[in-house]
Amino acid sequence: MALKMGVMLLVAATLEAHCCAQRFGARLASGAVLANANNAAGLAAFNLTSATVFYSFAVTDNLVAGTDATAAYAKAHGYDSYGSGATLISATTPAGSLPAGALALKTFHSASLKDTLTTASAAGLAWASNASNGYVYLRVEGYCQPSSAAPSGSYASRLLTYWSAQRKDSFIVASGSAHEQSALDAGYQLAWDECVVVPEWAVWPDNAVQKQLPLPKSTDLLDWEYLPGANANYGHADTWYPSWASDGNLYTPWTDGTVNGVRSGSGGKPSEGYNSTTGIATVVGDNPFHLNVTDVHVFTSSSFPYQSRYPCGTLVYNDVWFYGTYNLNNPNSTTPQGDPLGPNPSPNCGNWCVQGPLVDFRHSKDFGQTWTEPRLNCSGPTDNLFGEASIHNQKVKFGAPHFVDFGQNMQHKLPDGKAYIVGHGASRPGAIQAWMLGDEIYMARCEPTPSAISDRAQWEFYAGGHGSGAQWVKGNVEAAKPLFVWNNHTGVVTMSYHEAINKFILVISTASFYPSMVKQFDTYFLEADSITGPWKYVTYMSEFGPEAYFAHFPTKFLATEANTTSGYYDTFLSYSANFAFHSGANPPLSGYHWSLQQSRFKLGAEFAAKLHKQNRRN
């Protein structure tokens, strides 16, 4: 989501993954086997931080800042920021909390070479101490661990130093990262191996009670944990919603940025003919840390009569790719003739404060090479699939809807065989319904065929009840009733079916500071045994990212079985972050790109025992 339709350019970093099967390894649905760093629950013993990469074109110097002092130096001397770099143990970690054998990453500067060097290795320190190189010690930038500290089968961020003889510039990077690739592309050569950072699992604090979340606490899924630094990053754009096709690939939208040199922007300016582009990409690979984003291109359509047209839910089923788009507006906008489309409730949220309707689902029968688009150019505010509108303070029920992820080619679809969508909405006249803000969550379902999905009359809208008692109304969105209500606390919503634990999990993101769309965001998880509830909450994570959005659990990267011995179920959380709020990255490596964060749910003892019995029977 680009601030004021602009593009935030970040150079992303990925984590080197060391994968092997071991006793506590998690086998993902993709077939990859990923091992955990350790199996202890609780907060990490030491603090991790994402260093920021800076570069000066004037002196051709890469600088990696893990401390405020180094970042301030870079800014004061005209360096440009290129986003999150390597994950370090924070320089502020007390000595007693450092891991055994911790190495200090020391920063030096050479006026003669015009190079800023950060190193912890014997080779690097010898280079820095060579008087002919002219380095002067500045400070400790952070800490890392000897390479021998990475246990076999664990995840570890491996730090390497590259050197450019032409530029006389050193550059410390994480192995396998986008920054390492940038160094190689610029002709840098590997100089030496520095060290590693081996993370420990961390629990994000649960603020559900403080926020007064109106649901009971789950006793099956107790907490959500993440592995700091185990966060794979791809592209320089947001709005990634991959669908797992029968050929094993993921097919995903993206927008408002650049991927593989291809640019997309979904804001349709009236002065530019309302043209909006939405990105298309194929993702190849089974290991979330080693994916190949390929076959990247864009599709152009009109946002008229709204100001933008963004990607939303996608589904690939029986080799047909359905790709949704929705509209957004800024408050109190006007028609091309100057007629007002407001008024809208105040205060102004700062970015896309008016959630528009779902336009439709275009479809492709050749995996995105060609498309059938029912509404390349809409004729008016209600010319869309469900006939909703957001002009004159009208509210929509299906803002930015997303398909429920039932696994590869809808492998775990319900007995009715239908595709389901969830979207966020509002009905109160005083509600601010923005792209990440609303009051309600809605659901609908349809046969997953091009003819049915493009026909409003074939859609069934959830109208209340749970499980076998759920009611549905066909063809009339006005009769739809919310699946979940929490005024001013909903936003973009996704749902995945987690076959290993037989649970549906809703992921909802919303404003941390109502109604701002340019500050931090909160993310929370709800779980249920039935697709229609009743729902219980797992955790409410304030300021996650700290500005994470478009979060969901791609089923390709979920464990095939919960570890009922250790009491954990392994997952990867997909999201983008920090398009407008740039103060830090938490979890580390969160940023304006596609993030895949390794994570897991803590199981309740009774639920783990229940799963254990089921697994033995199977």
Side-chain angles (χ1 to χ4, degrees):
M1 190 61 58
L3 179 63
K4 297 182 179 178
M5 306 183 200
V7 175
M8 306 298 298
L9 177 61
L10 285 178
V11 179
T14 58
L15 177 77
E16 179 180 22
H18 304 278
C19 300
C20 69
Q22 61 174 21
R23 180 181 176 190
F24 293 106
R27 181 175 295 278
L28 304 182
S30 65
V33 178
L34 305 176
N36 298 334
N38 60 56
N39 293 280
L43 294 173
F46 46 82
N47 297 322
L48 296 180
T49 186
S50 287
T52 302
V53 174
F54 292 90
Y55 183 72
S56 169
F57 287 92
V59 295
T60 60
D61 180 33
N62 279 289
L63 178 155
V64 177
T67 61
D68 291 341
T70 301
Y73 171 89
K75 294 173 184 177
H77 288 80
Y79 285 67
D80 296 319
S81 171
Y82 286 90
S84 299
T87 299
L88 314 177
I89 300 171
S90 174
T92 61
T93 302
S97 297
L98 289 171
L103 304 174
L105 280 156
K106 298 179 179 179
T107 293
F108 302 83
H109 182 75
S110 168
S112 58
L113 296 178
K114 299 180 180 178
D115 177 48
T116 307
L117 168 70
T118 299
T119 185
S121 64
L125 293 173
W127 175 260
S129 63
N130 187 327
S132 64
N133 291 327
Y135 285 97
V136 175
Y137 171 72
L138 297 180
R139 63 187 61 87
V140 171
E141 210 64 45
Y143 297 90
C144 57
Q145 297 152 273
S147 297
S148 59
S152 176
S154 74
Y155 288 103
S157 179
R158 188 170 300 278
L159 306 185
L160 308 171
T161 290
Y162 280 80
W163 174 259
S164 169
Q166 179 184 4
R167 297 180 179 179
K168 296 184 178 2
D169 177 46
S170 63
F171 189 14
I172 186 170
V173 299
S175 176
S177 69
H179 287 301
E180 182 183 30
Q181 187 60 53
S182 296
L184 291 169
D185 291 344
Y188 284 65
Q189 301 293 319
L190 178 63
W192 50 76
D193 189 318
E194 289 287 353
C195 51
V196 298
V197 175
V198 182
E200 298 182 15
W201 287 97
V203 179
W204 198 277
D206 179 8
N207 285 337
V209 174
Q210 295 89 324
K211 292 287 186 176
Q212 300 182 339
L213 200 161
L215 289 174
K217 169 73 173 174
S218 173
T219 56
D220 292 345
L221 305 180
L222 304 182
D223 270 314
W224 181 82
E225 301 179 8
Y226 66 100
L227 195 59
N231 192 322
N233 304 161
Y234 301 96
H236 314 305
D238 64 12
T239 323
W240 301 78
Y241 291 111
S243 180
W244 191 10
S246 60
D247 65 0
N249 294 333
L250 295 171
Y251 294 88
T252 183
W254 59 273
T255 195
D256 277 2
T258 303
V259 177
N260 295 2
V262 180
R263 165 94 170 88
S264 176
S266 290
K269 297 179 181 178
S271 60
E272 298 177 3
Y274 287 92
N275 282 339
S276 167
T277 60
T278 47
I280 300 155
T282 302
V283 182
V284 181
D286 296 327
N287 185 332
F289 292 101
H290 294 288
L291 300 175
N292 179 26
V293 181
T294 186
D295 199 14
V296 177
H297 50 289
V298 300
F299 185 89
T300 302
S301 58
S302 172
S303 67
F304 180 86
Y306 300 95
Q307 293 180 320
S308 65
R309 185 169 178 172
Y310 276 89
C312 54
T314 58
L315 168 68
V316 183
Y317 179 64
N318 289 348
D319 297 341
V320 179
W321 185 356
F322 300 97
Y323 187 128
T325 55
Y326 68 99
N327 296 129
L328 292 173
N329 251 8
N330 285 308
N332 302 316
S333 56
T334 62
T335 67
Q337 295 75 33
D339 298 324
L341 295 176
N344 301 108
S346 59
N348 189 316
C349 78
N351 180 241
W352 296 130
C353 301
V354 181
Q355 175 65 58
L358 165 70
V359 179
D360 58 28
F361 294 101
R362 63 179 184 251
H363 72 269
S364 171
K365 296 183 178 180
D366 52 13
F367 296 106
Q369 302 306 307
T370 60
W371 294 90
T372 299
E373 170 55 78
R375 294 174 179 84
L376 196 63
N377 299 281
C378 298
S379 61
T382 60
D383 181 14
N384 55 69
L385 181 58
F386 294 157
E388 296 192 285
S390 60
I391 62 170
H392 307 309
N393 201 31
Q394 292 173 281
K395 309 299 180 184
V396 301
K397 295 182 176 181
F398 287 89
H402 295 94
F403 285 99
V404 176
D405 189 343
F406 285 110
Q408 184 177 17
N409 201 41
M410 291 182 62
Q411 177 184 3
H412 304 295
K413 60 183 178 291
L414 298 182
D416 61 24
K418 291 181 168 63
Y420 285 69
I421 61 171
V422 288
H424 75 284
S427 52
R428 294 183 301 123
I432 296 178
Q433 187 185 5
W435 65 278
M436 284 283 289
L437 188 63
D439 291 352
E440 301 152 346
I441 302 298
Y442 289 86
M443 175 178 282
R445 65 187 185 184
C446 187
E447 294 290 338
T449 65
S451 59
I453 279 183
S454 62
D455 183 359
R456 184 188 312 170
Q458 299 302 310
W459 281 88
E460 298 177 79
F461 299 96
Y462 172 78
H466 304 302
S468 60
Q471 300 178 18
W472 301 85
V473 175
K474 199 168 186 177
N476 181 13
V477 71
E478 293 182 1
K481 293 184 179 179
L483 188 72
F484 171 66
V485 180
W486 190 11
N487 288 352
N488 301 329
H489 285 86
T490 69
V492 170
V493 58
T494 62
M495 184 191 294
S496 299
Y497 174 65
H498 295 243
E499 190 269 341
I501 58 173
N502 194 25
K503 291 282 188 182
F504 293 90
I505 296 182
L506 275 171
V507 183
I508 303 172
S509 299
T510 191
S512 298
F513 302 99
Y514 173 88
S516 176
M517 295 289 99
V518 292
K519 294 182 180 179
Q520 299 95 315
F521 292 146
D522 298 347
T523 297
Y524 58 102
F525 306 140
L526 310 181
E527 62 91 352
D529 297 331
S530 165
I531 197 169
T532 52
W535 299 96
K536 297 180 180 180
Y537 80 85
V538 180
T539 188
Y540 187 103
M541 303 185 295
S542 294
E543 300 180 36
F544 178 78
E547 189 190 40
Y549 54 100
F550 300 161
H552 62 114
F553 289 103
T555 53
K556 185 173 183 178
F557 304 128
L558 303 180
T560 57
E561 186 175 311
N563 189 326
T564 55
T565 302
S566 64
Y568 288 102
Y569 163 61
D570 290 88
T571 62
F572 277 78
L573 182 67
S574 168
Y575 62 95
S576 295
N578 307 339
F579 83 99
F581 189 82
H582 306 305
S583 297
N586 193 19
L589 300 180
S590 300
Y592 196 76
H593 40 248
W594 180 26
S595 284
L596 285 167
Q597 171 66 60
Q598 188 182 357
S599 56
R600 64 187 188 184
F601 287 97
K602 174 63 177 173
L603 308 178
E606 290 186 11
F607 185 57
K610 175 183 174 182
L611 292 175
H612 182 71
K613 290 181 181 179
Q614 291 175 351
N615 293 340
R616 291 186 65 183
R617 287 198 299 267
N618 295 335

